[in-house]
Amino acid sequence: VPSPHCPHCPDTNETVPHLLLDCPSYRRDRHALTAALGRKASSLPFLLSDPLATQPLVRFLNATGRFRKTFGEIPIPRPLPDQRR
């Protein structure tokens, strides 16, 4: 991207934590993520490493549209057979 700044928060760098946990522009989308994962939705290590977070996280990213220009709609992965819902 031409700038490291968040497109919604010009004085803030768009870091992974900012995008996933802090950016006020994605508050509504983040609410859906929290509804799916509960308090674990505020844990960056959980979001980025736990297989149970993958589907809700991809849904969140698609809802923000932040990667659509580069990647298009990100396919929602199938859950692994041993994942509990």
Side-chain angles (χ1 to χ4, degrees):
V1 294
S3 168
H5 298 294
C6 174
H8 307 289
C9 309
D11 296 329
T12 304
N13 283 342
E14 186 178 42
T15 62
V16 171
H18 177 75
L19 172 67
L20 298 181
L21 306 175
D22 301 323
C23 185
S25 292
Y26 304 127
R27 185 175 292 131
R28 185 175 298 196
D29 304 313
R30 197 173 298 108
H31 178 74
L33 183 63
T34 301
L37 298 174
R39 292 184 342 173
K40 291 181 178 181
S42 64
S43 167
L44 198 57
F46 175 79
L47 289 174
L48 298 178
S49 66
D50 195 301
L52 293 175
T54 304
Q55 285 186 341
L57 180 59
V58 170
R59 284 188 184 95
F60 168 80
L61 294 172
N62 283 335
T64 68
R66 193 64 189 102
F67 297 106
R68 193 169 290 128
K69 189 175 183 180
T70 303
F71 298 109
E73 192 77 6
I74 302 168
I76 308 235
R78 290 182 171 174
L80 298 173
D82 62 341
Q83 287 181 345
R84 289 176 263 142
R85 292 188 157 233

